[in-house]
Amino acid sequence: VIENVHALEIFDSRGNPTVEVFVTLSNGVVGKAEVPSGASTGENEAVELRDGDARLGGKGVMKAVNNVNTEIAKALKGMDPHNQPLVDKTMIDLDGTENKGRLGANAILGVSMAVAAAAAKDTNQPLYRYLGGTDLEMPQTFHNVINGGEHADNGIDIQEFMITPVKKTSFRDGFEKIVNTYHTLKKVLEDMGYETGLGDEGGFAPNMKNSEEALKALHESIIKAGYVPGEDIAIACDCAASYFYNKEDGKYHLEGKVLTADELSDYYDKLLTEFPELISMEDPYDENDVEGMVKFSESHRDRLQIVLDDFICTNPKLLKKAIKEGAGNASLIKLNQIGTVTETLETIRLSRKNGYNTMISHRSGETGDTFIADLAVAINGGQLKTGAPARSERVEKYNRLLEIEEELGEGERLAFFPDSLDLD
Ligand code: PGA
Ligand code: ZN
């Protein structure tokens, strides 16, 4: 049973405070977790509790830490760590709000992940096995190699330009191609006269004037690295369109252009025609522009993976609504947007049931925790985006996948999904 739950304040990859949690079981087994933090957050994300006082620019998380060490620790003492749904429901009820704002989603998620880590250790299984059962498959990975928008100080308004291996080989083989392309991209950018400093997610943050230039550089790098665009390596974008949507005039202010929803669709079409290897787009419309998102989804569903991030915030209720409306065809999955492991699995299960792909995601503020690498394997056949092959907080996740792939060996498929937790 759970003997003790303890949190402390640590720091993330942007130097901001975050929560670390240790869960100790009565037999001495310890599970640990570190909580990530986003910059381009969706309006409906579970609330990250920050102190708002004079310390550390108000970003301290001592309130969340104290909530773990007092209320949550008391409520979970004696509980079975293998009953993740009950542990998570206990914290959700204890919090009592719709958005986890009282105890803090950062407090609750840290405990939720650490309980899963402890339970896995307790059964002598790696986390991916504990969460996913047998018959597992490595995820397809998406690597953000040019950073714009909220994650970089440059002229590019689209937030992420990712490359992904599309030949079904091993993870190691695909990752090698990504690494080669990444190093080639550095040279291509240098030849173009750009700085090659890195953005928050390890991608380059060249001071380009627009997204088309970024796509051109990527296209050229894939070829120069010796690969065929679309056959070996494809491209994906996270538009994070809320960043360039203007609420006042209801238009998209993108790199010097002012566009209606329809005109934005035309602009995307231009990119899709020029770069046939562009296969996936995340948040192409503002999170409140349901009309724009649905119209674009209807006309592009067959051509493109349309990933919903800010639009659904990993929330099963918002996903249900999006499915009904006909928005997108894939879900982005971020544990800290919803705040518990159980609800995250529920959103994944709901996505799959409705034919939506799932892409597990890091946050722009990350830690060394590799939970999401295990999760991406556990959900089987999923996708994972966790940054460029640079900066340890990103590379650690890929290194973890290399370890897992070696352990899995061959012939593993299919995963099982935990039954849905009834949260109503
Ligand atoms: P964030 O960025 O962590 O800053 O929200 C990632 C994303 O938008 O997908
Ligand atoms: Zn996003």
Side-chain angles (χ1 to χ4, degrees):
V1 298
I2 295 172
E3 177 68 34
N4 187 36
V5 183
H6 179 73
L8 70 152
E9 186 182 71
I10 59 164
F11 289 83
D12 72 15
S13 59
R14 274 194 285 247
N16 291 325
T18 191
V19 178
E20 177 176 47
V21 177
F22 292 90
V23 167
T24 308
L25 308 184
S26 45
N27 60 3
V29 166
V30 180
K32 169 183 131 159
E34 297 165 5
V35 177
S37 172
S40 65
T41 49
E43 286 171 20
N44 292 310
E45 292 195 15
V47 173
E48 191 177 65
L49 194 59
R50 300 235 174 235
D51 298 340
D53 57 15
R55 228 179 111 251
L56 294 165
K59 289 192 170 168
V61 292
M62 286 313 296
K63 282 183 191 161
V65 163
N66 287 330
N67 289 340
V68 173
N69 292 340
T70 55
E71 273 191 67
I72 295 178
K74 191 168 158 226
L76 299 195
K77 193 174 163 74
M79 283 189 80
D80 177 6
H82 301 280
N83 194 343
Q84 186 83 39
L86 188 61
V87 167
D88 289 342
K89 189 169 189 312
T90 301
M91 289 192 284
I92 290 164
D93 291 346
L94 185 67
D95 173 77
T97 67
E98 189 65 30
N99 59 16
K100 303 187 176 66
R102 193 180 76 79
L103 295 172
N106 41 355
I108 293 172
L109 178 65
V111 176
S112 183
M113 288 162 67
V115 165
K121 257 198 194 171
D122 191 42
T123 55
N124 284 315
Q125 294 178 94
L127 185 61
Y128 65 86
R129 186 73 73 193
Y130 173 72
L131 291 174
T134 52
D135 294 333
L136 300 174
E137 195 176 66
M138 300 300 289
Q140 180 179 1
T141 48
F142 290 73
H143 308 263
N144 182 7
V145 291
I146 297 185
N147 297 185
E150 199 87 67
H151 296 166
D153 295 319
N154 56 20
I156 309 172
D157 283 341
I158 287 184
Q159 179 177 284
E160 301 171 16
F161 296 85
M162 293 171 272
I163 49 177
T164 178
V166 282
K167 261 217 179 103
K168 267 237 154 197
T169 53
S170 62
F171 167 70
R172 179 178 290 277
D173 181 69
F175 190 59
E176 247 175 51
K177 290 192 177 107
I178 295 299
V179 168
N180 285 334
T181 308
Y182 181 74
H183 292 307
T184 308
L185 174 62
K186 182 170 189 191
K187 284 195 210 102
V188 166
L189 293 174
E190 278 165 0
D191 289 348
M192 291 167 90
Y194 288 118
E195 305 270 339
T196 51
L198 302 186
D200 287 353
E201 299 189 345
F204 301 109
N207 197 8
M208 294 177 159
K209 38 182 203 309
N210 59 46
S211 297
E212 222 174 318
E213 218 189 330
L215 286 167
K216 272 188 189 143
L218 272 192
H219 180 88
E220 194 187 323
S221 303
I222 294 169
I223 294 171
K224 276 209 169 140
Y227 306 120
V228 181
E231 263 178 48
D232 298 304
I233 306 271
I235 297 177
C237 289
D238 180 2
C239 304
S242 302
Y243 174 77
F244 53 86
Y245 180 71
N246 185 315
K247 277 191 177 147
E248 262 132 58
D249 64 8
K251 292 192 175 150
Y252 292 89
H253 293 237
L254 179 71
E255 298 163 356
K257 296 184 280 280
V258 180
L259 306 171
T260 63
D262 282 341
E263 287 163 350
L264 182 63
S265 179
D266 292 342
Y267 171 72
Y268 288 145
D269 279 334
K270 187 170 166 266
L271 298 182
L272 290 166
T273 308
E274 198 178 342
F275 304 98
E277 70 268 32
L278 182 50
I279 57 165
S280 178
M281 255 189 204
E282 182 180 324
D283 284 351
Y285 284 83
D286 177 72
E287 60 192 277
N288 295 310
D289 187 356
V290 178
E291 203 188 315
M293 185 72 91
V294 169
K295 199 171 172 196
F296 183 78
S297 300
E298 277 166 1
S299 52
H300 291 76
R301 189 171 282 119
D302 296 333
R303 158 72 178 85
L304 202 59
Q305 172 171 273
I306 302 158
V307 186
L308 306 176
D309 174 11
D310 293 352
F311 205 79
I312 55 168
C313 294
T314 317
N315 185 319
K317 287 178 190 147
L318 295 179
L319 173 61
K320 260 183 213 161
K321 187 168 157 279
I323 291 168
K324 222 184 242 164
E325 288 161 348
N329 57 15
S331 315
L332 198 77
I333 304 292
K334 292 166 168 167
L335 287 147
N336 80 328
Q337 278 183 328
I338 185 69
T340 64
V341 172
T342 303
E343 290 162 288
T344 303
L345 292 171
E346 166 71 2
T347 303
I348 294 168
R349 197 190 53 80
L350 190 64
S351 303
R352 294 289 178 78
K353 214 169 90 184
N354 288 279
Y356 275 49
N357 292 342
T358 49
M359 189 189 290
I360 308 290
S361 171
H362 63 164
R363 299 306 306 244
S364 49
E366 262 298 332
T367 70
D369 196 310
T370 57
F371 191 99
I372 58 170
D374 281 70
L375 179 63
V377 174
I379 67 154
N380 194 48
Q383 306 172 15
L384 172 69
K385 71 162 185 176
T386 183
R391 297 184 57 139
S392 286
E393 77 278 7
R394 318 289 150 185
V395 181
E396 277 305 302
K397 274 79 161 168
Y398 299 124
N399 287 342
R400 174 71 188 137
L401 288 182
L402 291 169
E403 290 173 6
I404 295 175
E405 185 168 69
E406 191 166 281
E407 280 172 20
L408 282 183
E410 302 212 341
E412 304 244 8
R413 283 176 306 108
L414 286 169
F416 103 116
F417 287 92
D419 282 331
S420 107
L421 167 72
D422 189 6
L423 293 168
D424 300 322

